[in-house]
Structure formats: structure tokens, C-alpha cells
Amino acid sequence: NISKFIFTVKIKDSTAPVLGTTPANININCGDAIPVAPNITATDNCDPSVLVTLKEVTNNGNCPGNYTITRTWTAIDDCGNTASKSQVITVEDKTPPVFGQIPADLTINCESPVPANVNPTATDKCDPSVTVTYNEVKTNGSCPQSYTLVRTWTATDACGNASTATQMITVRDTQAPVAPVLESVKSGEDWSLYFFKPMASFQPDLLCVGSPF
């Protein structure tokens, strides 16, 4: 007597591939070089040649210099089993603009003209069009001809990072007044016809020329 048994063995690949090590999440400054995505390999218990794909997605932040890059590596074997790993690169703009040449502080006499505003420029690693604003504050001194001017320039990039530069102009009245000298009058002439004449140095003896009032 012979008995025959027939059974079917089904082999199913339900195990996902195993991806290699992927880079860790990182934060970098806007304008710095973004690391190149490495080639990640994967192994599988049934498929000797696992396909690994890379997808990169950029998500904008609250300003042009802030954004994230998400890199996702996906391994797929011949049976459609998949495994994925991701890296998030966070790019942030935290660096303020940099001013070019700023006028130096200076002190001038009140009769000299005050230099005009030079409108300095500023550059930024991430914003090609930095906004520069200008403000001037005058502080009075001990007399109307003595005062200070503080000029402040503020450079702001698209992400709100700002830097300031200032110039102080000190205006002083250091010139002594020119004393008047009485023009000589002849005896008997009306003093109301007399007039003042400017002179280079003060000569008090000339203030009493002619008849007294």
C-alpha cells in the first residue's frame, strides 16, 4: 500500500531591507555650505541588489533665510518591501548685515559746514537687498552754537537681523568774538554819526575816543 502526500511550500519575502547609517539632523547658518547627500546602501535577506532612492524636500520658513531640507532615503527590495530613514537640515539666518565704510567721529567749529549724510551700504550673507535706515539726533550744548549730532544707520535683512553704526559730530564755538573799535570823531561832531569798525584784536583804549556821552 502506498500513501502519497502532497504539500506546497510558499516562500514569502516580507522582511524589509536594512538601510545603512544616515547622517544625523543638523542646524546650519544661512549662507554656509549645505552638506552633500551621501550614497546610502541597504542589505536584504533575499535581494542582493536593493534599490535605494533619495528624495529631498525643502520647506520654507518665516523668512527667505530660514528653511528646512528633509532628505529621505528609501530602500526597496524585489518584493516591494521598503524601509526609510530621514535627515532634517535646518537652515537659519541669525547673522546680521555688515556695514561698509562708516564716517569717523569728528569735531568742527560752528562756522564750518556740517558734512552731509553719506548713506553707507551694508551686505548680508543671505539677503542681497538689505534695508538701511537713517536717524539723526541733535543734542544742544551750553550755547546755541555748541551741540552734537549723532547719526545712526540701521541695516536690517529679510529675517529681521539688524546691525547699527553711528557717527558723532561735535560742533563747538571756539572762536572768540571780535571786539568793536570806535571810529575816531572830530571835535564838535555829533556822536550819533559815529559807527563801529571790526578789528582783529581787542584794544580797550580805543573805546573811549572823543567826547564822553
Side-chain angles (χ1 to χ4, degrees), residues 180-185 190-198 206:
V181 58
L182 299 180
E183 188 72 18
S184 298
V185 294
D190 186 353
W191 271 86
S192 63
L193 301 177
Y194 121 88
F195 58 90
F196 287 95
K197 176 182 178 182
L206 296 180

Side-chain angles (χ1 to χ4, degrees), residues 140-194:
N140 294 326
S142 57
C143 65
Q145 291 76 29
S146 294
Y147 56 92
T148 59
L149 295 175
V150 177
R151 291 174 169 174
T152 302
W153 298 273
T154 302
T156 308
D157 66 19
C159 286
N161 302 299
S163 59
T164 60
T166 59
Q167 178 197 30
M168 177 177 287
I169 301 175
T170 303
V171 181
R172 294 180 177 176
D173 184 1
T174 58
Q175 183 68 41
V178 176
V181 58
L182 299 180
E183 188 72 18
S184 298
V185 294
K186 296 179 181 180
S187 177
E189 287 185 329
D190 186 353
W191 271 86
S192 63
L193 301 177
Y194 121 88

Side-chain angles (χ1 to χ4, degrees), residues 30 61-66 92-98 123-133 154-164:
C30 178
N62 59 350
C63 65
N66 292 343
E92 296 178 291
D93 183 1
K94 295 182 177 181
T95 305
V98 177
T123 57
D124 189 78
K125 295 177 66 176
C126 301
D127 185 357
S129 301
V130 178
T131 301
V132 178
T133 59
T154 302
T156 308
D157 66 19
C159 286
N161 302 299
S163 59
T164 60

Side-chain angles (χ1 to χ4, degrees), residues 40-112:
I40 306 298
T41 59
T43 58
D44 188 78
N45 57 351
C46 297
D47 184 355
S49 302
V50 179
L51 174 66
V52 178
T53 60
L54 170 64
K55 183 179 181 180
E56 187 172 279
V57 177
T58 299
N59 293 309
N60 295 327
N62 59 350
C63 65
N66 292 343
Y67 57 95
T68 61
I69 300 172
T70 302
R71 291 171 171 171
T72 302
W73 290 266
T74 302
I76 307 174
D77 66 17
D78 286 339
C79 291
N81 301 301
T82 62
S84 298
K85 288 184 178 182
S86 297
Q87 177 199 31
V88 177
I89 301 173
T90 302
V91 182
E92 296 178 291
D93 183 1
K94 295 182 177 181
T95 305
V98 177
F99 274 102
Q101 187 173 3
I102 298 297
D105 295 344
L106 76 158
T107 300
I108 60 175
N109 290 324
C110 62
E111 71 271 14
S112 300

